[in-house]
Amino acid sequence: MALTITDQPITSTIYSVYRSITYVVVSSSVTISKVQCEVYVNGVLIKTVVHDPNINTGDTFTFDISGFVRDNISLFNPQITSSIIQDFVAEGTAKYIQCIFNEVLTTAGVLVVQATDYTSNTSFAANFVLQHENALGIDSYYQDNLNKLWFTNMPDNERVRRGETIGIPFVVNSATTNLTARIVQLDANEAVILTTDYSSGQTYTQKKTGWININTNFLSSLCVRITTYILIAGVPKSSQRYYRIVSESCQDDKRFWFLNQFGGFESFTFTGEFVEGLEVTSKDYKKALPYFTAFSVMDRGLKTFRVDAFAKFRTTSRPLNRTEYRWLRELKTSPEVFIQEGETFVPIVITDRDNYSIEGNDIGQPMTIEYVKANDLIIQ
């Protein structure tokens, strides 16, 4: 009696939880009835499922675990810290997955799980929806350029308000314990003020992805631009990203955080016109009033027993170039969007997802976002 895993995810490859993550198991036992699959995410058992054989077979069993894993991928973990950069997120946006299979035999008319423990290899799952050519695979994306470590389509040169936090997701496709983020602060004359290296302290054998978090509150007051890049064993491995630090701000500025197509979170501030509205609906009924002397002017004939209110918002960005506009399409199509209010991240829903046009030459075009908060207002 034996089980053989004939098809499974490739070892150490990252897979999307939005497509099938499939294992095929074949049994050589003539008395087998079912196969049990234990699903592990980061070494923790999250689900046990038992399957009958595939249709028209008596010995082949197929398991798709993507739905179970998807429920265990943490989507958002922002932290506003007191340092210029927080440590890399311990688990990133990817987690390692593994399955253990056991035969279920019929013994004296009773189903009995055998302690056989046929273990799959270890691969990874992430919440990305990246489509690369004909495949939904991070390996295809990564193989374009071994130095392509950033998990974002954000332009390499962006601007950020002083006081804001920058989140930059990244991927590491090989085991390493000596990954470093370098932050270089520059003054108005492009002279270096300070160069600081931050070690991750994490082993990326079982992490694969991470998130650099830069709090601009802790930059030098003379800093007007920063550049950041990733080093492995002291050797630069990523392209350089540049951020121009600007000081102007307005109370109507709205900073959005959104899940991008790579499975990482990033942010952008809308600094244009802001409009707030309120949509209110009520449910009423008409009740009978008392007659004659029992009537009072305070008696209510039309009674409201339910009021629903939804706050609606519309905000506009600064003029965007063509690259920025295309990047921020991901905000409109993202299933997970938050708006930052101080150090609180409030979930919202984008309501105008169909406004994607890019008109004219690359002369700057603002983007408008309409949204509602994901939770209703509490009404008396």
Side-chain angles (χ1 to χ4, degrees), residues 39-51:
V39 182
Y40 290 82
V41 174
N42 279 11
V44 178
L45 176 65
I46 64 162
K47 188 72 175 180
T48 300
V49 291
V50 178
H51 278 188

Side-chain angles (χ1 to χ4, degrees), residues 89-368:
V89 178
E91 295 176 354
T93 54
K95 296 186 178 182
Y96 66 95
I97 55 176
Q98 192 171 45
C99 292
I100 295 178
F101 300 95
N102 294 297
E103 296 174 303
V104 181
L105 305 182
T106 301
T107 304
V110 178
L111 294 177
V112 179
V113 178
Q114 307 298 300
T116 45
D117 288 350
Y118 293 92
T119 303
S120 72
N121 59 26
T122 299
S123 55
F124 295 82
N127 56 359
F128 65 85
V129 292
L130 174 68
Q131 183 168 347
H132 179 87
E133 296 179 351
N134 296 320
L136 284 170
I138 287 299
D139 280 359
S140 297
Y141 164 82
Y142 189 86
Q143 287 167 7
D144 267 357
N145 181 346
L146 293 180
N147 296 335
K148 191 188 289 185
L149 300 183
W150 301 119
F151 252 24
T152 175
N153 285 322
M154 180 193 300
D156 285 340
N157 202 328
E158 266 299 314
R159 66 181 186 178
V160 64
R161 301 290 182 91
R162 187 173 294 275
E164 292 178 340
T165 299
I166 309 167
I168 318 172
F170 66 91
V171 61
V172 177
N173 209 33
S174 59
T176 180
T177 58
N178 51 8
L179 187 146
T180 301
R182 176 166 293 174
I183 311 296
V184 181
Q185 301 184 47
L186 305 171
D187 65 16
N189 297 315
E190 293 293 302
V192 175
I193 301 172
L194 181 66
T195 298
T196 313
D197 289 346
Y198 297 88
S199 176
S200 69
Q202 299 291 341
T203 302
Y204 281 88
T205 309
Q206 295 182 344
K207 300 299 186 292
K208 284 291 188 179
T209 64
W211 194 47
I212 299 174
N213 190 66
I214 303 173
N215 189 334
T216 59
N217 275 317
F218 298 93
L219 298 173
S220 166
S221 61
L222 299 177
C223 178
V224 299
R225 196 162 76 114
I226 62 172
T227 180
T228 182
Y229 51 96
I230 290 175
L231 303 90
I232 295 178
V235 178
K237 285 293 184 180
S238 72
S239 61
Q240 296 191 34
R241 306 196 66 84
Y242 300 91
Y243 295 89
R244 182 162 58 90
I245 311 299
V246 296
S247 298
E248 71 271 12
S249 64
C250 173
Q251 64 178 0
D252 288 336
D253 290 352
K254 301 300 175 185
R255 187 156 183 82
F256 294 88
W257 291 80
F258 60 97
L259 178 69
N260 67 17
Q261 65 175 356
F262 298 91
F265 271 88
E266 50 192 330
S267 56
F268 185 81
T269 300
F270 279 60
T271 58
E273 180 187 34
F274 174 72
V275 178
E276 180 177 354
L278 188 66
E279 179 179 325
V280 181
T281 59
S282 65
K283 293 185 178 181
D284 311 308
Y285 72 95
K286 191 172 184 179
K287 66 178 184 178
L289 293 174
Y291 289 100
F292 307 117
T293 58
F295 175 77
S296 167
V297 71
M298 293 187 64
D299 286 334
R300 185 184 296 274
L302 191 63
K303 173 68 174 178
T304 298
F305 66 92
R306 180 186 176 95
V307 176
D308 295 314
F310 301 90
K312 301 190 300 182
F313 308 90
R314 183 176 72 246
T315 185
T316 304
S317 73
R318 59 172 170 80
L320 306 172
N321 62 40
R322 189 178 295 269
T323 302
E324 291 173 319
Y325 203 100
R326 287 197 174 110
W327 163 54
L328 288 175
R329 285 175 171 177
E330 295 181 35
L331 192 162
K332 288 210 169 189
T333 59
S334 176
E336 294 284 338
V337 185
F338 297 79
I339 193 165
Q340 185 174 343
E341 297 181 352
E343 297 189 5
T344 301
F345 297 85
V346 180
I348 65 170
V349 175
I350 304 296
T351 58
D352 64 332
R353 297 183 185 274
D354 57 346
N355 181 17
Y356 302 147
S357 62
I358 304 176
E359 300 175 1
N361 297 320
D362 197 5
I363 57 176
Q365 175 182 344
M367 175 180 284
T368 298

